[in-house]
Amino acid sequence: MDPLRPPPHPQFQFRNWLELPRDVTASILLRLGAIEILTSAQKVCLLWRNLCKDPYMWRKIDMRNHGDLRDMPYDLETMCRHAVDRSRGQLVDINIEYFGTDKLLHYIAESSSQVRRLRLVRCYKISIKGFSEVAAKLPLLEDLAISYCPLSEELLEAVGRCCPLLKSLKFNNLGYRSPPIECDDEAIAIAENMTELRHLQLFGNTLTNDGLKAILDGCHHLESLDLRQCFSVTLTGNLKRRCAERIKDLRSPCDSTDDYEFNAELHDMESFYDD
């Protein structure tokens, strides 16, 4: 270096990422989703490729995507199976959005019975029968999130029977301005089969006050309850008081949806029948 030239300003000094400790690099890569790792990160250099093959990197598999599978340049189901293989049975947390199928769920359950958290969004190719069979192979499941999937109380009953450790359930649907039906079947299935729940989200559900009472009677450990856009529930009088006394974190039917992770736009009754 020229002794007469001043040292470069810190903002022009570049870090050699390959000099980072292995555990720090792994921590950075873990912040990427499975799709980004498989399509980009593992191709950067040999070090990153080796790290991306470590089973520890695949204890959590996040296959989050934008939902338009027609524009995908790759097969998400095949990619997910590859990610599951890399976990070598250590998988505990998986998110499959839009592309989940019965066959894929079976593959996940057969490859790892250690799964504790499962998230499904708009997986229209998953059936009640298929999911029920898979639930029997996931006895350690603690956290289940199902949003906008064509599944009903039969699934909830099966999950309740097969997954006794379940502590958190999200079972979300579209919200309607004027609910076309009032139905407590799902609420009763939860109350009778998921008595160890601590956290429950039923966004857009058609349960009534009777269904809510059943949940309060059956789920004695419940700490948080999200009833936003459940417009057949009326929280008044004794029921309101009971919820206030029992539930630490209560979201009422008309509470703000600003922090809801999906589109919370209300739908008309006609769209219910179209769906």
Side-chain angles (χ1 to χ4, degrees):
M1 179 181 294
D2 187 343
L4 300 179
R5 179 180 298 176
H9 191 277
Q11 75 180 60
F12 298 112
Q13 294 180 355
F14 298 99
R15 175 183 294 277
N16 185 349
W17 293 99
L18 296 179
E19 295 178 354
L20 289 175
R22 183 181 177 90
D23 59 335
V24 174
T25 303
S27 178
I28 294 172
L29 292 174
L30 281 170
R31 287 164 170 75
L32 300 175
I35 296 175
E36 288 78 9
I37 291 176
L38 293 173
T39 59
S40 302
Q42 70 172 3
K43 299 177 181 179
V44 169
C45 62
L46 183 60
L47 172 62
W48 283 25
R49 183 169 182 79
N50 289 335
L51 278 172
C52 291
K53 289 184 176 181
D54 189 331
Y56 176 78
M57 295 287 295
W58 303 98
R59 285 173 54 82
K60 177 179 179 180
I61 297 175
D62 188 350
M63 298 290 292
R64 199 167 307 181
N65 62 88
H66 56 68
D68 192 348
L69 303 184
R70 295 169 298 181
D71 292 339
M72 289 286 178
Y74 29 74
D75 186 324
L76 289 181
E77 183 167 348
T78 300
M79 185 177 291
C80 184
R81 287 171 181 257
H82 183 56
V84 170
D85 290 342
R86 286 195 176 186
S87 73
R88 297 182 186 176
Q90 297 185 34
L91 177 64
V92 297
D93 183 338
I94 186 164
N95 174 4
I96 48 177
E97 299 187 354
Y98 301 102
F99 67 95
T101 64
D102 285 345
K103 288 184 178 180
L104 180 58
L105 276 183
H106 275 281
Y107 191 84
I108 292 168
E110 292 289 348
S111 301
S112 179
S113 60
Q114 307 296 313
V115 174
R116 290 172 170 79
R117 185 175 187 271
L118 175 62
R119 175 186 169 94
L120 308 172
V121 180
R122 291 188 170 90
C123 295
Y124 302 120
K125 294 183 179 180
I126 292 178
S127 67
I128 295 173
K129 181 178 182 295
F131 197 118
S132 299
E133 292 173 352
V134 167
K137 300 177 183 180
L138 299 177
L140 301 182
L141 192 65
E142 297 178 359
D143 188 333
L144 176 61
I146 302 175
S147 299
Y148 314 116
C149 297
L151 303 171
S152 66
E153 70 276 0
E154 296 174 47
L155 168 70
L156 297 174
E157 292 170 358
V159 171
R161 290 193 305 268
C162 300
C163 307
L165 301 181
L166 194 69
K167 300 294 190 299
S168 177
L169 173 68
K170 292 183 179 180
F171 197 73
N172 300 328
N173 287 290
L174 298 174
Y176 293 88
R177 292 184 178 87
S178 300
I181 57 174
E182 295 181 350
C183 182
D184 289 315
D185 291 348
E186 293 168 353
I188 292 173
I190 291 169
E192 294 180 349
N193 298 280
M194 300 181 177
T195 57
E196 296 300 316
L197 281 182
R198 268 64 173 175
H199 311 284
L200 176 60
Q201 183 178 69
L202 292 174
F203 196 98
N205 198 272
T206 58
L207 83 163
T208 69
N209 283 11
D210 290 337
L212 176 55
K213 291 174 184 176
I215 289 174
L216 294 175
D217 289 338
C219 304
H220 299 288
H221 306 291
L222 207 57
E223 299 174 7
S224 67
L225 177 60
D226 189 344
L227 298 172
R228 284 177 292 178
Q229 295 193 3
C230 297
F231 295 126
S232 293
V233 170
T234 306
L235 288 178
T236 58
N238 184 58
L239 184 59
K240 180 179 180 180
R241 182 165 52 253
R242 189 178 176 191
C243 286
E245 293 173 351
R246 283 277 313 279
I247 310 299
K248 296 178 182 178
D249 181 11
L250 176 66
R251 309 297 294 272
S252 299
C254 295
D255 280 358
S256 171
T257 59
D258 288 348
D259 62 344
Y260 184 57
E261 59 185 313
F262 302 112
N263 185 347
E265 179 184 0
L266 284 170
H267 295 257
D268 295 317
M269 186 182 298
E270 290 77 8
S271 64
F272 175 86
Y273 298 102
D274 291 339
D275 292 340

